Amino acid sequence: MKTYVNQYRNVFGFNIKWVSVQNEPDLATPYASAQYTTSELDQVSAKVADVVHSLNQGVLVGAPEGSNRTASNNYMNSFSATTRAKLDFVSVHDYSTYVEVNHYGKPLIATEVSNFQTANDPSITDGLKWANMIAADLKRGERGWLYWWAVNPASSASGEGLINLGANNAYTVNKRLYVMGQFSRYLRPDDTRILAASSDSNLVAIGGKNGTGRASVVLINNSTSAITTTISGLTMANVSGRRTSATEDLAKLTDVAVAGGAMTVTLPGKSVTSYVEY
């Protein structure tokens, strides 16, 4: 692992920032994999952390990246305090019900999540499912969220990809791709999450500020009806935005002027809308 990190960073020019010790150490799969007992992964994780940190290049090391949160939790609870102290973050896969994994004060990243169990749903209904999951993870203080994978081959009809290939070069861009963009375009690395909440149970709000103090907010309307709401706490003169809904795909919205640190907007039913002030 040390050679890999050093070679890819300093010879090939890839700015590797994080490495996870092992993908899904609890599974035996038909593709290349490696299973570890809790004791084995405890020892290996500590050694990998030591050698990668010895490069002094600021690369962060994480584990255990089990196939679901329960598996990751079992590994973390079995690790020695020494090993846990050496890890920079906790990596998990989100393929089952939610289980609290982060008992040890480490940043947590969901490094893999998708729907390979059922047929693909390209609709906004599926998009809202993932939007609410991302928002819930961020509100818990988790630091990252990665969908597996970008493109699903024509041989698979599952929801495993953001884009699904079909026969004769046809393809489907699923709403979940655009919904992810509602977050990734507006809540950027190194932003600080800020409190954002709504008194309407149908609205989910998640906010952030960048290093210059510019605020962004993502609003999820889970209702089938439009909701008019006021966004307050703004500090700049104008706001720009984009929306994904049943009929929109990261569609650019008309900019809105801020008055008295607030603005009132109408959010269509079953939509995700993102705003940033300027």
Side-chain angles (χ1 to χ4, degrees):
M1 186 72 80
K2 178 181 179 180
T3 301
Y4 163 84
V5 171
N6 190 59
Q7 184 81 0
Y8 272 79
R9 279 180 61 88
N10 300 309
V11 178
F12 300 143
F14 289 89
N15 185 24
I16 294 175
K17 297 181 179 180
W18 315 275
V19 293
S20 186
V21 173
Q22 172 62 44
N23 176 65
E24 298 184 341
D26 53 306
L27 289 188
T29 66
Y31 48 84
S33 61
Q35 281 186 288
Y36 290 80
T37 65
T38 54
S39 175
E40 290 169 340
L41 192 62
D42 181 20
Q43 298 176 58
V44 170
S45 296
K47 292 182 182 297
V48 170
D50 284 341
V51 296
V52 172
H53 290 153
S54 73
L55 292 170
N56 293 316
Q57 295 181 17
V59 179
L60 305 181
V61 179
E65 202 167 348
S67 62
N68 53 62
R69 287 181 183 249
T70 297
S72 293
N73 192 47
N74 291 340
Y75 280 109
M76 284 298 295
N77 289 337
S78 298
F79 284 174
S80 67
T82 300
T83 296
R84 288 196 294 263
K86 292 180 179 183
L87 295 175
D88 302 301
F89 66 95
V90 176
S91 49
V92 302
H93 289 183
D94 230 340
Y95 287 117
S96 63
T97 56
Y98 175 76
V99 172
E100 176 59 54
V101 179
N102 195 5
H103 312 290
Y104 303 102
K106 301 286 183 178
L108 189 147
I109 300 176
T111 53
E112 186 176 320
V113 59
S114 72
N115 175 23
F116 61 85
Q117 299 99 332
T118 61
N120 183 49
D121 178 1
S123 75
I124 190 61
T125 299
D126 180 78
L128 289 174
K129 165 188 165 182
W130 301 109
N132 283 286
M133 182 183 288
I134 295 171
D137 286 357
L138 291 175
K139 284 178 178 290
R140 284 192 292 265
E142 299 182 10
R143 304 296 183 86
W145 196 92
L146 300 172
Y147 197 88
W148 173 270
W149 50 26
V151 180
N152 208 31
S155 58
S156 171
S158 76
E160 199 168 3
L162 296 172
I163 298 171
N164 278 49
L165 298 182
N168 302 317
N169 297 320
Y171 62 91
T172 300
V173 181
N174 302 300
K175 287 291 183 180
R176 55 184 171 270
L177 172 60
Y178 298 111
V179 163
M180 281 190 64
Q182 297 286 158
F183 288 87
S184 62
R185 288 180 66 126
Y186 288 85
L187 301 175
R188 302 296 302 156
D190 296 324
D191 283 2
T192 299
R193 192 176 71 81
I194 58 177
L195 179 63
S198 172
S199 58
D200 190 324
S201 61
N202 288 307
L203 286 183
V204 176
I206 183 83
K209 275 191 176 182
N210 69 7
T212 68
R214 185 176 67 183
S216 299
V217 64
V218 181
L219 301 171
I220 306 168
N221 181 1
N222 288 304
S223 170
T224 57
S225 301
I227 295 175
T228 298
T229 187
T230 297
I231 302 171
S232 58
L234 301 169
T235 61
M236 299 185 183
N238 299 284
V239 167
S240 65
R242 290 182 181 270
R243 176 180 297 127
T244 296
S245 65
T247 58
E248 300 164 296
D249 299 323
L250 271 171
K252 178 74 171 67
L253 305 177
T254 302
D255 290 7
V256 180
V258 174
M263 67 174 192
T264 299
V265 295
T266 298
L267 309 171
K270 300 186 73 172
S271 66
V272 183
T273 308
S274 304
Y275 293 106
V276 61
E277 59 181 356
Y278 67 93

